[in-house]
Each structure stands twice: as C-alpha cells, then as structure tokens.
Amino acid sequence: MTFSSEDQQHFINYLEKKNKRNDTKNVQLFKYLLQDDLNSNELCYKLYGNQSKGAYHALRKRLYQSIIDFIANTSLQEEKAVDMQIIKYILAARTCLQNKQYKVAYKILDKAETLATEHHLFPLLNEIYHTKIQYAYAHPSIDINQLISKFKSNQKKHQLEDQLNIVYAKIRQTLNNMTYKGDVVDFQTILNNTLKEHHININESMSFKSLYQLVAITSFSAFATNDYLKIEPFLINTYKSILKHKNIDKQMFYHIQILYFIANTLFRNKKFSASLQYLKLMHKYMNEKQKKHYNNFKLKYNLLLSLNLNFTNKQNDAIDLLTPLATIKHADIETLLDIRLSLVMFYFQKNDLKKASNLFSKFYHTDKWYTEKAGKEWVIKKHLIDILLQIELKNIDLVESRLLSFKRNHSKYLKSINQQRALTYLTLVEDCYKTPERVTSEAFKNKVESAFMWIDKTREDIFVMSFYAWLKSKMENKPLYTTTLNLIKTVTLV
C-alpha cells in the first residue's frame, strides 16, 4: 500500500461516509492490509472468526473498487482541475455556437486555447481548433488560414507526443528484457533505430510528459551501456527547458522523477556535490503538495543520498540512514533490495563483517526470484559480494562452492555482454585467497595491471571501482574503505 499516512486517514473517512451499515468490515480490512503481515486465510479468520471465504473475497473486491474510486476522485480534484476547466469551456462554447451566440462562444474558446497552450494539452487544443474552424464561417473577423496553421502545428506536436510515448514503451520493454530476463541486445543501436523509425526530433517543442519520457529514455540508455558521462549535459539542459513549463507544478511526479535521474547520473559520474544539490531539490518537491509523492520516492531518495554520503567519507551517516529502511515493507521491492545490498556493502567496507553477514543471510530467495525483482546485474553483484565476504570470514569451503557456482551460472552471460573482466577479476580474487602471501608482491601487482584494459576514472563505473578497491586494499595491505575513497579520487584506476 503506497498511501501516505494522511491519505490513509482520508480514505478511512471516505469509507466511513460511504458505509450505510455499522457492521461493514471494509475499514477493518483496510487497516489489516496496511500491516501487510497476514495472508488471506488469517485475514478471513480475523474478520469473520471462521473460513467465510465467500464473504471475505466479496468484501476484498468491494474494498478494491473503493480504493480505485477514491484514487480517481482525488486525482480529478488535484491533478485534472485545468483539464476539467478547459472541457467545461469547450462544452459551454459549443452550446453557445449551436444557439448562434458566436461572439460569446469564441471568447470562451479563446480562454480555453490560452489555458490549453500554457499546459501543453495537445488533445484538448485539437478539439478547440476543430470547433473554431468548424464555425469560422459565422465569425467574419476570424482568420481561417491562421487557425488552420495553428491546428496543423498542434497536430504535429500531438503526433510527436504519441510517437515518443510509443518509443518510451518499446525502450522500456527492451530494457526490462535485458535487466530482468538477461536478453543480450545492442541497446544503443535499438534506441537509435527506434527514434529514427518514429521520426523523433528532440529539438521540437514538447509537453512536460514528453520531456520526462525523453529524459527517462536517455537514462535507460546510460544504465544499459554504463556510459553516464555522455548523457549528463543533455539531462541538465533538458531540465532547464522543463523549468520554463507553466504546468510544472501540475506535473510534480514527473518533476521529482527527472531530478532523481539527474542526481543518479551525477552520482554515477562521481560528482557527489552536484548530485547532493539535485537531491536537495528532489526532497523539497517531495515535501510539497502535502507530501503527496513523498512515499513513492522515499526509498530512492534515501538510497541515493546514502550512496553519496558513503563515497564522501560519511559512512556512518550512510549506515544510519539506511538501517531503519532495510526492514520495512514497501511496494518498491527493487529499491528495497538495492538498499539491503548497499547496506551490506557499507558494513563490508567498514570491516563490520558480522553485521554484513547477518544482513546478507536475509537474502534467502532464489536467483530466479531476485532476477525478476531486481535484475540480472543485481544478482551478479550479490554473488560477488558474497564471495568476498566469505573470503574475509575465512569460510574457505564456502568460497570454493560459491566460485564454482558463479562460474557455472554466470560465465556464459557475462561473455555474451562483453563483461569478461568480471571473470578475470574473479580469477584474481581466487589468487588472493589461495596464495595470500603473494598478493603484496610486485609480480602479483604486474599481473593485475596487465589483466585489464584500464580506463579513466571519470568513465569507469563507481561500483566496478568499489570491487577493484578490495583487490587494491589486499595488494597495499590497507583498510578497504580508505582504499575505496582514495581510488575514487585518483585520476585513473592504476
């Protein structure tokens, strides 16, 4: 349930007003569902004292419908006030036109046009221009050619919005197949071909939703290719254009999501101060409109904030921030899993192996389940952290089985996406635990240096660097967290 505490109370009030009988159990069921710790049989018994499954399922169905009605009514009141006003103007104008009150009708339509233009509501503008053109013959002062020109221009913008929505859907599907099913595809080529196929020109005037979708598509591209540096200027410049939109306050959800994309990109590019600035903005808007969107973004915001803190030598603050979130229940399961794995990483870097191990033991689902919920990359990171953790805990038998399992389950996939360096890294890790006395030798350092194609730290992935930091800390015989922070600050990995 993603209702804020205030929304929950409003919904309960809504149910109580709607109930005509005192023995209706919908409020009681809603409160039990909020706790999210009872299965259907337990809920049925709590409510009826026996297995009245028919009554329970009927009650649950009615409650579900009430939730839909409540959300729809709330959305109409809060988000669609402008749309409804324009529709009222159009309907009023058409009534006037049918009664041959042309001058009054066109004044009303002018008001509707101004409002729809400000809010980039292309479908409604289409209706306005259609109506104006239809009755232009009865209003001699109207320039019909100018009206037709406006109508055609609006049609192009509307078509662009529709095409971008299709592109967004296709790209999301491709990315989901890559992330959660392990499909091997050339994402960048698919993205370029899809944009070309649908004639997307990113320089044209776009609605707020379209700009959000464009930012999202660009962010997905960076996620798939691990090239966040390339998209950073585009994201920031696009955001500046978004700020000029008159309807920015009406599209708060998209606004917050875009700020998250930018803050995440800056973090991945190791520009922590800039990332924190955008997170500050994100938090500001999360708190607006009576915290309407706060719960939706709470986990993402705190996770990204904690990662920034961890990599700017404020690890204890990062741990304190995530600890209470690691055990909560939330609809955003993917971010919850990211939070738990990040917290394991923080404890591991801190050398608090007991806490890292205890938290890691909570990952009791199958790889298939985690892949469906958090993606293939998350599962691979989880197993790599597990191997390093077992080495530090000196569980040698477990290390051997984990290594064999990793190679058996992930080698083919890693090779197919040209990430053989993960397997190379694992070979060096194996050397570390089998012959620890050689790790600080020049021979081993030379072996590591010649094992990879090193790239500048501005382009290297921050999480890849974190895994390498463990290897470097062994070679230099220095604490892992200190080594990690120093590595992030260096010009190159070597």
Side-chain angles (χ1 to χ4, degrees):
M1 194 70 66
T2 57
F3 282 173
S4 67
S5 55
E6 190 175 359
D7 286 337
Q8 290 168 20
Q9 191 54 53
H10 285 160
F11 180 61
I12 289 170
N13 294 340
Y14 170 79
L15 287 177
E16 288 173 343
K17 286 179 183 176
K18 189 178 176 184
N19 291 340
K20 294 177 180 178
R21 289 165 39 185
N22 294 328
D23 60 343
T24 306
K25 297 179 183 291
N26 52 10
V27 173
Q28 201 176 346
L29 175 58
F30 179 68
K31 289 179 178 178
Y32 284 142
L33 289 172
L34 288 174
Q35 296 170 18
D36 199 25
D37 56 1
L38 298 172
N39 61 36
S40 292
N41 288 335
E42 289 168 333
L43 283 168
C44 186
Y45 185 79
K46 279 264 189 184
L47 290 163
Y48 297 101
N50 54 46
Q51 293 300 310
S52 300
K53 289 190 175 180
Y56 166 71
H57 286 299
L59 175 66
R60 190 173 182 125
K61 188 176 179 180
R62 288 196 300 273
L63 177 63
Y64 179 70
Q65 187 58 50
S66 293
I67 290 172
I68 292 173
D69 292 342
F70 174 76
I71 292 171
N73 290 336
T74 304
S75 297
L76 279 171
Q77 290 169 14
E78 295 179 2
E79 301 293 338
K80 301 298 181 183
V82 173
D83 304 56
M84 294 303 293
Q85 185 59 54
I86 294 168
I87 291 169
K88 286 177 184 177
Y89 281 149
I90 294 171
L91 292 173
R94 284 177 178 169
T95 300
C96 290
L97 289 166
Q98 288 166 7
N99 291 313
K100 299 185 179 181
Q101 296 173 323
Y102 303 118
K103 194 171 181 181
V104 175
Y106 274 82
K107 280 186 178 179
I108 296 171
L109 287 172
D110 286 342
K111 284 184 180 181
E113 182 184 350
T114 301
L115 203 53
T117 303
E118 282 180 2
H119 292 81
H120 294 80
L121 299 173
F122 306 131
L124 291 177
L125 276 169
N126 193 64
E127 289 296 316
I128 293 164
Y129 293 134
H130 181 92
T131 305
K132 280 189 169 186
I133 291 168
Q134 181 183 354
Y135 287 91
Y137 70 89
H139 203 347
S141 62
I142 291 291
D143 185 339
I144 192 168
N145 291 324
Q146 185 185 41
L147 262 182
I148 292 169
S149 177
K150 281 184 176 183
F151 178 65
K152 287 181 177 178
S153 174
N154 183 68
Q155 278 187 318
K156 285 181 182 178
K157 291 174 183 177
H158 190 191
Q159 186 179 24
L160 173 65
E161 187 173 62
D162 285 343
Q163 291 298 314
L164 192 58
N165 192 50
I166 292 168
V167 171
Y168 175 82
K170 285 184 175 180
I171 296 303
R172 279 303 300 256
Q173 187 175 55
T174 301
L175 185 68
N176 280 4
N177 290 341
M178 289 173 63
T179 305
Y180 304 111
K181 294 183 181 178
D183 285 5
V184 179
V185 297
D186 182 348
F187 184 87
Q188 199 62 48
T189 300
I190 288 174
L191 173 61
N192 293 339
N193 289 344
T194 307
L195 288 169
K196 189 176 179 181
E197 176 192 348
H198 292 276
H199 310 291
I200 301 297
N201 180 357
I202 62 174
N203 295 315
E204 289 192 48
S205 173
M206 292 181 173
S207 68
F208 194 97
K209 177 187 173 186
S210 294
L211 285 167
Y212 155 75
Q213 288 182 321
L214 190 59
V215 167
I217 290 166
T218 309
S219 297
F220 300 152
S221 170
F223 173 80
T225 60
N226 256 332
D227 192 352
Y228 286 88
L229 205 62
K230 187 191 293 182
I231 70 162
E232 183 189 311
F234 172 77
L235 290 186
I236 292 172
N237 289 333
T238 302
Y239 179 65
K240 287 177 181 175
S241 72
I242 285 170
L243 290 176
K244 297 172 186 175
H245 275 236
K246 295 274 183 75
N247 63 330
I248 194 165
D249 291 337
K250 297 291 180 185
Q251 302 286 344
M252 195 63 76
F253 178 86
Y254 293 144
H255 190 178
I256 297 169
Q257 186 69 65
I258 289 168
L259 288 169
Y260 171 77
F261 283 143
I262 297 172
N264 184 57
T265 297
L266 290 165
F267 163 73
R268 297 298 288 260
N269 290 337
K270 292 157 292 276
K271 297 181 179 180
F272 306 118
S273 296
S275 178
L276 287 167
Q277 285 300 312
Y278 278 93
L279 277 174
K280 189 176 179 181
L281 266 178
M282 180 181 174
H283 193 255
K284 173 192 169 188
Y285 290 116
M286 283 166 60
N287 279 293
E288 290 194 358
K289 291 186 176 291
Q290 299 176 319
K291 293 192 171 185
K292 177 177 174 59
H293 300 295
Y294 189 89
N295 201 45
N296 287 324
F297 291 99
K298 177 176 71 174
L299 296 188
K300 281 184 169 64
Y301 166 79
N302 283 295
L303 172 61
L304 193 49
L305 177 58
S306 72
L307 287 166
N308 273 285
L309 291 171
N310 183 68
F311 287 101
T312 52
N313 203 18
K314 295 175 182 174
Q315 191 175 68
N316 289 333
D317 292 340
I319 290 171
D320 290 343
L321 188 63
L322 289 196
T323 300
L325 298 175
T327 53
I328 68 169
K329 292 185 177 181
H330 195 279
D332 189 356
I333 294 173
E334 184 172 359
T335 306
L336 263 182
L337 291 172
D338 282 339
I339 284 172
R340 289 166 189 167
L341 195 60
S342 295
L343 197 50
V344 170
M345 179 183 75
F346 298 165
Y347 284 134
F348 182 75
Q349 289 175 335
K350 193 180 181 182
N351 202 33
D352 194 337
L353 301 179
K354 185 177 179 182
K355 284 185 179 177
S357 182
N358 285 341
L359 187 55
F360 196 92
S361 68
K362 304 292 192 296
F363 293 130
Y364 51 80
H365 288 289
T366 64
D367 277 3
K368 183 175 182 293
W369 189 90
Y370 285 118
T371 301
E372 289 172 355
K373 301 297 181 184
K376 194 84 173 173
E377 185 179 331
W378 187 93
V379 172
I380 288 170
K381 283 180 186 175
K382 169 182 169 286
H383 285 303
L384 286 174
I385 290 174
D386 186 24
I387 290 167
L388 300 184
L389 183 57
Q390 299 310 325
I391 290 173
E392 293 293 355
L393 292 168
K394 298 184 171 30
N395 295 328
I396 303 305
D397 291 341
L398 285 177
V399 174
E400 287 287 354
S401 65
R402 299 288 200 273
L403 280 166
L404 285 170
S405 176
F406 186 94
K407 291 173 184 175
R408 183 172 62 250
N409 295 323
H410 303 297
S411 291
K412 184 179 178 181
Y413 172 74
L414 287 167
K415 288 174 183 175
S416 70
I417 62 169
N418 295 317
Q419 285 297 328
Q420 292 93 331
R421 63 178 182 170
L423 300 172
T424 303
Y425 171 79
L426 215 53
T427 302
L428 296 169
V429 167
E430 202 169 353
D431 289 343
C432 280
Y433 96 89
K434 284 184 175 177
T435 56
E437 68 280 359
R438 296 182 187 175
V439 175
T440 56
S441 68
E442 284 300 315
F444 185 76
K445 290 177 183 176
N446 290 335
K447 183 179 180 180
V448 171
E449 189 166 338
S450 60
F452 301 105
M453 291 289 291
W454 302 98
I455 61 176
D456 187 271
K457 72 105 179 181
T458 56
R459 290 179 54 230
E460 184 57 274
D461 181 75
I462 193 168
F463 296 115
V464 171
M465 294 174 78
S466 298
F467 279 110
Y468 172 72
W470 181 85
L471 208 57
K472 192 172 176 67
S473 72
K474 296 300 178 189
M475 291 189 290
E476 296 178 351
N477 196 24
K478 290 181 180 177
L480 174 57
Y481 187 53
T482 305
T483 304
T484 304
L485 295 183
N486 288 338
L487 185 60
I488 300 296
K489 293 174 186 175
T490 57
V491 178
T492 60
L493 276 173
V494 180

